[in-house]
Every structure is written in structure tokens, then in C-alpha cells.
Amino acid sequence: MIVMEESLKKIKQQLHEAGFKLTPQREVTVKILLENEKDHLSAEEIYMQVKNQHAEIGLATVYRTLEILTDLQIVNKISFQDGLARYDLNRDGARHFHHHLLCIQCGNIEEVHEDMLDEIEKEVEKKFNFFVKDHRLTFHGICSDCQEKAKKS
Ligand SMILES: [Zn+2]
Ligand SMILES: [Zn+2]
């Protein structure tokens, strides 16, 4: 809970610095994102949860808030195999977007917060004369739960 307060405070400051206010409607949306950090929710899923708590907040407001948060790189928009845009919070101070492990059997998504790609980035920069700012990486495979289940059956 304390962690969330801290994160909320930081996001509020980031918005403020960019000339936006953390209005109550925006705050609800941000809280939903923080509470479900691991879940990679789509805009509709975020809206459903916002609506549960505050029926008066409309879909357009939620979309607009997500747009602002994406522009400010507080969240990243990412899509996995279902092609749906999902919203993913940027970890504070992370130089790079985190990686994902996507289970092709159960659809579970795990996060990897180590970078591991420093060497590859250097190589790409040298080989292609391309200044790397970030990267997206999703590993597709079978999660440990699914491997266990396969062993038992
Ligand atoms: Zn993620
Ligand atoms: Zn799985």
C-alpha cells in the first residue's frame, strides 16, 4: 500500500511537470493500473474496473488518461498474441522497458526486469550505426506451471 502511495505521488509529479493535473478521474485510472501492475490490462479491462468503483467516469476519460500516460512514458502500450493493446507501467528509474515471458499454452505473462541486452545493443549500434534507445522483447514458450502439468498427465 505504501509502495502504491509512493508511485502515485511520483506519477502525480510527472503529470504536473508536463502540465497535467492528476484529476480524481485520472487518479482512479492510475490506481487501477498500479493495483494490477502484473496483469497487463487492456483499455476496456481498465475501464470496467474504473466503472466498478466510479460509475460516473466514462470510457473516453479513461482512454484520454491512458493516452496522456503513454505520451509521458509512464505506461507503455504493448500487444501480445491476441493483438489487443495492453497497458504496462514503466518501472521507476528503469532505463529500459522490461521483457516479457509469454506462455503459449495458458497465456500467462511474466516480467523480466533485468536488461540482459546491453551487449546486443552495442553490437546493433556498431553494425547498423543505429543509436538504440529502447527495445521490446517477448519470449514465447511454456511456463513452469504448464510444464509441471504436462509432466503429470
Ligand atoms: Zn510488463
Ligand atoms: Zn502456461
Side-chain angles (χ1 to χ4, degrees):
M1 216 45 195
I2 291 159
V3 176
M4 190 170 126
E5 289 296 314
E6 278 293 301
S7 306
L8 196 64
K9 225 168 44 189
K10 273 186 196 128
I11 291 171
K12 189 175 183 171
Q13 198 185 339
Q14 278 172 284
L15 281 168
H16 185 79
E17 278 163 14
F20 295 102
K21 274 193 189 130
L22 187 66
T23 60
Q25 295 95 316
R26 285 177 187 156
E27 188 172 326
V28 175
T29 306
V30 170
K31 273 187 178 157
I32 297 291
L33 279 165
L34 286 168
E35 280 165 11
N36 302 281
E37 204 184 336
K38 292 269 168 287
D39 291 338
H40 304 92
L41 299 176
S42 69
E44 284 72 23
E45 286 166 343
I46 294 164
Y47 169 62
M48 292 311 281
Q49 297 212 31
V50 168
K51 210 176 69 170
N52 276 342
Q53 297 178 17
H54 295 266
E56 76 282 3
I57 300 176
L59 180 61
T61 307
V62 172
Y63 269 126
R64 178 76 191 116
T65 304
L66 291 172
E67 227 171 82
I68 293 167
L69 294 172
T70 306
D71 284 348
L72 298 179
Q73 293 181 334
I74 295 168
V75 298
N76 275 298
K77 221 184 203 179
I78 186 166
S79 60
F80 295 103
Q81 58 190 17
D82 57 7
L84 215 58
R86 299 180 176 279
Y87 293 85
D88 205 359
L89 272 172
N90 248 335
R91 276 248 179 133
D92 205 53
R95 194 169 69 84
H96 280 148
F97 190 51
H98 54 261
H99 310 319
H100 293 101
L101 310 179
L102 171 69
C103 177
I104 52 172
Q105 249 163 48
C106 68
N108 181 54
I109 296 160
E110 231 178 289
E111 299 195 332
V112 181
H113 289 275
E114 297 106 284
D115 194 327
M116 301 190 285
L117 286 190
D118 276 348
E119 287 302 312
I120 295 171
E121 282 191 1
K122 273 182 214 143
E123 225 174 291
V124 168
E125 293 197 341
K126 241 197 299 189
K127 209 166 171 180
F128 299 95
N129 188 27
F130 182 84
F131 178 51
V132 177
K133 303 266 284 178
D134 204 354
H135 47 251
R136 297 284 164 100
L137 184 61
T138 304
F139 295 93
H140 296 236
I142 317 285
C143 74
S144 53
D145 282 353
C146 288
Q147 290 178 50
E148 280 301 312
K149 270 179 218 152
K151 264 185 235 159
K152 276 172 201 154
S153 61

